[in-house]
């Protein structure tokens, strides 16, 4: 899967993608992440990427031309899929607090369906609406709150979609998830003392009785 990220702040991604599972996934070739900065595609001498909104209102709006050029560059890259002789299937998303709510269901679907996903990160008050129309993008929200930009949403999306790609998680972790995963979990020690009180792991989990353990985990859902 190739993620093409259109952002004014590509460096924001370095530390998150440079560690742990996502780092391994990209080293092993399961994912590839490319960046396109609209500022590099701006044609005026000040490298402007934003302007005042038509009709007035607070804040600034990301201009159509630099974002669209960055997007064109992203969708015209096709050498990877040629290597694997796989037909390219591209999807474009624009992050917006008013978009469709991102879920694991979307992550699973997209991981199977597409070879390339273009993620457009907004800043300021958002992006000129004609970008959505021209790119036929879908708007995605990661939750009912407003952030200062689409970079965190892009990282959330990338993380969640990547772990649905076979091979990204270790075999053990993915099997665990297919079986019963629960939001309640414990590890050693079995009994933990804190301020005179003992906090113990539920007995069933240390019983070694696999059927009862599964039933217990199901009952938590
Ligand atoms: N004026 C806009 C908010 C802009 S927030 C409005 O009222 O809808 C700036 C940018 O941050 C957005 O363009 C979007 O890309 C991103 N963003 C903020 N919150 C988000 C969320 N919950 N989900 C996805 N993207 C978000």
């Amino acid at each position: 899967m190739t993620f093409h990220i259109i952002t004014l702040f590509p460096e924001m991604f370095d530390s998150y993608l440079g560690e742990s599972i996502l780092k391994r996934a990209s080293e092993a070739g399961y994912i590839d992440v490319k960046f396109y900065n609209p500022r590099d595609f701006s044609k005026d001498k000040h490298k402007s990427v934003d302007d005042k909104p038509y009709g007035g209102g607070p804040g600034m709006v990301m201009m159509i031309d630099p974002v669209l050029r960055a997007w064109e560059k992203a969708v015209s890259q096709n050498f990877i899929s040629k290597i694997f002789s796989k037909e390219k299937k591209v999807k474009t998303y624009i992050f917006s607090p008013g978009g469709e709510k991102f879920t694991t269901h979307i992550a699973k679907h997209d991981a199977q369906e597409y070879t390339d996903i273009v993620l457009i990160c907004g800043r300021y008050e958002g992006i000129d609406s004609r970008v959505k129309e021209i790119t036929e993008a879908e708007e995605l929200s990661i939750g009912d709150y407003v952030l200062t930009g689409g970079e965190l949403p892009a990282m959330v999306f990338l993380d969640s979609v990547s772990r649905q790609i076979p091979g990204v998680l270790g075999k053990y972790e993915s099997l665990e998830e297919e079986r019963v995963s629960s939001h309640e979990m414990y590890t050693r020690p079995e009994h933990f003392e804190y301020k005179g009180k003992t906090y113990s792991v539920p007995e069933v989990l240390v019983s070694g009785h696999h059927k009862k353990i599964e039933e217990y985990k199901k009952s938590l859902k």
Side-chain angles (χ1 to χ4, degrees), residues 95-97 121-126 140-143 145-150 153:
F95 290 109
S96 159
C121 306
R123 276 273 148 183
Y124 319 117
E125 286 309 309
L140 265 193
S141 161
I142 63 159
Y145 39 80
V146 183
L147 301 162
T148 55

Side-chain angles (χ1 to χ4, degrees), residues 62-209:
M62 281 173 74
M63 294 158 80
I64 185 167
D65 196 58
V67 176
L68 202 57
R69 283 171 190 281
W71 177 79
E72 277 184 338
K73 176 86 195 253
V75 296
S76 67
Q77 305 232 327
N78 58 9
F79 59 94
I80 294 237
S81 38
K82 267 192 200 145
I83 292 170
F84 294 110
S85 63
K86 206 168 149 191
E87 203 188 317
K88 230 166 82 137
K89 279 194 91 179
V90 187
K91 173 82 183 178
T92 301
Y93 288 112
I94 295 178
F95 290 109
S96 159
E100 187 190 346
K101 189 82 62 68
F102 179 59
T103 59
T104 295
H105 180 76
I106 296 177
K108 277 195 175 135
H109 170 269
D110 288 8
Q112 285 172 8
E113 187 71 16
Y114 304 114
T115 59
D116 295 74
I117 299 179
V118 186
L119 302 172
I120 308 182
C121 306
R123 276 273 148 183
Y124 319 117
E125 286 309 309
I127 303 164
D128 188 313
S129 296
R130 290 168 293 184
V131 171
K132 179 183 177 210
E133 194 183 332
I134 296 171
T135 62
E136 294 178 357
E138 227 174 284
E139 287 186 318
L140 265 193
S141 161
I142 63 159
D144 293 333
Y145 39 80
V146 183
L147 301 162
T148 55
E151 286 74 17
L152 281 175
M155 283 188 245
V156 167
F157 181 94
L158 198 152
D159 187 304
S160 178
V161 171
S162 295
R163 72 197 294 287
Q164 299 296 341
I165 296 171
V168 167
L169 295 183
K171 239 195 194 112
Y172 178 74
E173 291 155 297
S174 15
L175 280 176
E176 275 298 291
E177 190 158 271
E178 281 305 306
R179 253 175 37 182
V180 187
S181 69
S182 70
H183 58 276
E184 226 184 84
M185 63 209 69
Y186 304 88
T187 187
R188 290 190 302 166
E190 190 181 332
H191 305 287
F192 184 73
E193 308 280 338
Y194 185 71
K195 293 189 175 171
K197 198 176 157 193
T198 304
Y199 296 82
S200 296
V201 174
E203 249 169 64
V204 56
L205 295 180
V206 291
S207 67
H209 196 303

